[in-house]
Amino acid sequence: MHTQQRFAAHEFLETQEAVRTKAAHIELYGVLFSMAQDTHLKDILFNQQRRMLEGYDYGIGLLQGKGIAMTPHTPELRIYERPQPGLRQPSMPGPNPNATQLSDVSIATIALNLHKTGSAVAMLWACECVDPQIRQYHATSANICQEMAWEVFQYMNFKGFYQAPQLADHTMRTMIQAVQPAEPQQPYQTHFQ
């Protein structure tokens, strides 16, 4: 006889919401993929959708109590382009409120923001879990989201959609010199015998 695993209410509800959100994002990525013009962006979207499908299936397995063993997360960072700091003739087209097709800029921005938000929320949920497998699921999801955000950022930076301005050298030096090292930690005397 199979007994249903008992989760804390909040971790169960958060995991159910995470799975539901992944399902919606998988479908959204299908639409974004169909609208993307740039083959480079299509490659990113296709690979990221595959990773989201894996996360969705794993989450379903956890909720159904299948006791899937969590393998340690191995970063899967695809280096599409090397991001470059600095500004290169920035240009941001105005939004089209009557659009029937998304631009590659909008598609990449939507994907980037999904992953940035997903990383923050998943880590918050991980910190709220009692069950070690559920905690690891959310922590891994957070890590995967930040990796996918990095991939999209690389693309956006390369295309000039997301530039990283720099501070003047003297400003950075002044700010760095304002920070002082910590005092050495004193030895701790334990009172337990």
Side-chain angles (χ1 to χ4, degrees):
M1 180 173 174
H2 178 68
T3 59
Q4 179 66 36
Q5 185 167 351
R6 301 286 298 168
F7 297 114
H10 62 285
E11 71 186 355
F12 176 79
L13 294 172
E14 289 165 350
T15 304
Q16 184 188 47
E17 185 172 340
V19 168
R20 207 173 43 249
T21 300
K22 284 180 192 333
H25 289 170
I26 289 164
E27 288 186 13
L28 176 60
Y29 256 57
V31 173
L32 296 177
F33 182 86
S34 73
M35 289 187 198
Q37 299 298 308
D38 187 326
T39 55
H40 194 161
L41 180 57
K42 282 181 159 300
D43 180 55
I44 293 168
L45 295 172
F46 183 81
N47 286 319
Q48 290 188 353
Q49 186 186 53
R50 175 190 51 80
R51 294 180 80 186
M52 287 189 272
L53 281 161
E54 290 169 0
Y56 173 82
D57 288 342
Y58 189 82
I60 292 293
L62 283 174
L63 289 174
Q64 292 176 347
K66 294 184 178 169
I68 301 167
M70 186 79 175
T71 56
H73 175 68
T74 304
E76 188 181 317
L77 284 169
R78 295 178 188 278
I79 305 298
Y80 289 95
E81 305 294 343
R82 295 273 179 212
Q84 300 295 316
L87 294 176
R88 303 172 306 277
Q89 207 53 31
S91 126
M92 183 71 177
N96 177 2
N98 303 308
T100 57
Q101 172 86 19
L102 295 174
S103 68
D104 285 347
V105 177
S106 292
I107 291 169
T109 301
I110 289 166
L112 177 68
N113 289 328
L114 281 177
H115 296 312
K116 287 166 73 172
T117 303
S119 182
V121 170
M123 190 54 72
L124 177 66
W125 286 348
C127 292
E128 295 294 323
C129 291
V130 176
D131 182 86
Q133 278 192 308
I134 296 288
R135 175 182 287 270
Q136 187 61 49
Y137 173 69
H138 290 296
T140 299
S141 292
N143 201 10
I144 290 170
C145 278
Q146 69 81 20
E147 290 170 4
M148 292 192 292
W150 172 247
E151 291 170 357
V152 175
F153 167 73
Q154 290 174 71
Y155 168 80
M156 293 179 76
N157 181 263
F158 176 73
K159 289 291 197 176
F161 303 158
Y162 194 134
Q163 297 183 38
Q166 294 175 293
L167 296 172
D169 289 344
H170 71 278
T171 303
M172 286 196 297
R173 271 193 309 278
T174 301
M175 292 176 75
I176 290 169
Q177 290 169 355
V179 180
Q180 301 301 312
E183 295 288 325
Q185 188 177 25
Q186 298 298 316
Y188 177 70
Q189 299 293 322
T190 181
H191 299 290
F192 299 105
Q193 299 294 329

